[in-house]
Amino acid sequence: MATDNSSRNTKRVTITDVARHAGVSTAAVSKVMRNAYGVSPAMQDRVRTAMAELGYRPHAAARGMRGRTYTIGVLLDNVRNPFFADILDGIHEQLEDSEYTVLIGAAGFGAEEQARTVRAMVDRQMDGLILIAPGTPRPEVLATAETIPTVVIGHHDVSDVHDSVVDADDIGAGLVVDHLVALGHRDIALVSATGNKAGRWQRPPEIALADGYLQAMERHGLPDRARVHHAAYSDDGGHAAGLALLSGDDRPTAILTGADVAALGIYRAAADLGLSIPGDLSLVGYNNTAIASLAPVQLTSVDQAGHTMGATAARMLIERVEGRRDRAMRTTMTPRLVVRRSSAAPGAQ
């Protein structure tokens, strides 16, 4: 009778098989799998080649029992914001050659909904969290960061328990006001996110942006002309803000908004009202996402290096997860203004 070899042929490859194939110890294979500090590139290549040749896939549950699940949770409020896509690209690029898998929690704008998502990530024993401008109450974020490595992107609040990656939003707003004033504008409005007082963050990005805008307007002798209009960072939010600001007789000649996606909504509102950009209105966004450079849009925007922010956050997080650093760090990106056709002198055609 023929022997059935199917069980032998489908036998799961083990870490011992990988070690034997690579000619190294199982401890060395384990270090490579954990991305342990001090493993040489040659050892990395040798072990990973053996894993690929044998078709070895570490079992996530087994790894989790040893203290790590190799999953990273990323919290964001709105999947429609293209700036978040830039951040996610940076995170992915930083982690693509590692054993870590990124799981995204799109929690919406509500503080409680975001808090529930964070708790779910913790309950699932993720190794670390990256929170993008979280609306989750700050005390809860601080408590979470005491138990799991956490990086907060966007908020300027100082912390000694979580890492932070921020943009110098006040400087970015100043760059825009300087640019628009140099073109001849005096009636410059800011469209900014409403923020969430329940979150108890003192320096979210919208506050830093508004502070920079108001300081720049005062520096140019225009404090009485400053206007801050609050709206969600979405196409619909920008559209509503545009209709409100542009429908009256005292409409501004230029608008800065804190997100490119909201600027597109203002662009749409201007078209609905028969106004041209930049002839009737100069428009400036923030984030310098891919849509800003599209030929029909050509949106002047502040570049805050979203891809680099994401990559930096991922690198900082893995340093904490793998025990290479135990002190909180803060990295600040320097914004730059990218001028395109959406901003011009008042009345320019």
Side-chain angles (χ1 to χ4, degrees):
M1 184 172 64
T3 301
D4 183 3
N5 293 324
S6 60
S7 62
R8 184 172 61 215
N9 292 339
T10 59
K11 180 182 176 182
R12 185 178 185 87
V13 178
T14 67
I15 190 173
T16 302
D17 298 325
V18 173
R20 186 180 300 116
H21 191 77
V24 300
S25 66
T26 55
V29 175
S30 179
K31 286 183 178 181
V32 171
M33 289 171 54
R34 291 185 287 109
N35 293 311
Y37 183 71
V39 178
S40 69
M43 178 64 75
Q44 289 270 3
D45 291 343
R46 191 171 182 178
V47 171
R48 294 195 184 283
T49 297
M51 292 169 65
E53 290 176 350
L54 294 176
Y56 175 71
R57 286 191 63 199
H59 192 273
R63 290 184 298 180
M65 292 174 64
R66 295 199 297 272
R68 195 175 298 172
T69 61
Y70 291 83
T71 53
I72 300 298
V74 178
L75 177 80
L76 49 84
D77 58 34
N78 179 14
V79 294
R80 296 182 183 276
N81 189 333
F83 180 58
F84 294 163
D86 291 345
I87 294 176
L88 290 171
D89 279 347
I91 294 171
H92 172 73
E93 183 176 289
Q94 183 68 29
L95 299 178
E96 64 181 348
D97 293 328
S98 74
E99 294 295 322
Y100 293 93
T101 296
V102 175
L103 300 179
I104 299 170
F109 294 105
E112 181 53 36
E113 189 177 4
Q114 289 194 26
R116 284 199 304 270
T117 302
V118 170
R119 293 178 207 133
M121 291 176 172
V122 173
D123 290 344
R124 285 159 178 76
Q125 298 183 320
M126 295 186 181
D127 293 328
L129 303 178
I130 297 175
L131 311 180
I132 304 176
T136 309
R138 184 168 187 257
E140 182 158 351
V141 170
L142 295 177
T144 299
E146 292 277 9
T147 62
I148 179 173
T150 301
V151 179
V152 174
I153 295 179
H155 291 324
H156 295 252
D157 298 57
V158 176
S159 170
D160 58 3
V161 294
H162 65 71
D163 292 332
S164 301
V165 179
V166 301
D167 179 62
D169 297 297
D170 53 344
I171 294 176
L175 292 174
V176 175
V177 173
D178 292 347
H179 167 67
L180 293 171
V181 169
L183 290 173
H185 292 278
R186 297 296 179 266
D187 293 311
I188 304 167
L190 169 67
V191 172
S192 174
T194 56
N196 182 359
K197 292 182 179 179
R200 296 165 64 181
W201 294 92
Q202 299 300 311
R203 293 286 291 171
E206 60 270 15
I207 294 296
L209 186 74
D211 285 350
Y213 161 77
L214 293 172
Q215 290 165 9
M217 291 293 282
E218 184 170 2
R219 187 172 71 248
H220 288 286
L222 302 170
D224 294 340
R225 301 198 187 191
R227 276 188 279 180
V228 179
H229 186 96
H230 294 295
Y233 285 160
S234 65
D235 181 78
D236 287 342
H239 185 258
L243 291 177
L245 286 168
L246 300 174
S247 296
D249 294 333
D250 61 341
R251 67 172 186 254
T253 63
I255 295 177
L256 158 65
T257 183
D260 287 352
V261 63
L264 292 184
I266 295 173
Y267 210 114
R268 185 160 57 91
D272 290 346
L273 296 171
L275 302 175
S276 67
I277 293 176
D280 299 307
L281 174 74
S282 282
L283 181 62
V284 181
Y286 211 94
N287 306 147
N288 195 36
T289 54
I291 57 176
S293 62
L294 293 176
V297 179
Q298 285 296 295
L299 178 69
T300 296
S301 186
V302 176
D303 190 331
Q304 56 177 330
H307 185 281
T308 303
M309 291 181 83
T312 300
R315 175 182 54 77
M316 293 169 70
L317 184 66
I318 298 306
E319 288 175 354
R320 295 293 290 273
V321 168
E322 296 182 350
R324 304 180 206 169
R325 174 171 53 83
D326 59 6
R327 291 187 179 183
M329 285 183 59
R330 175 188 175 99
T331 299
T332 302
M333 302 292 159
T334 301
R336 66 185 182 91
L337 182 65
V338 180
V339 178
R340 298 189 179 93
R341 289 200 303 266
S342 71
S343 58
Q349 296 295 328

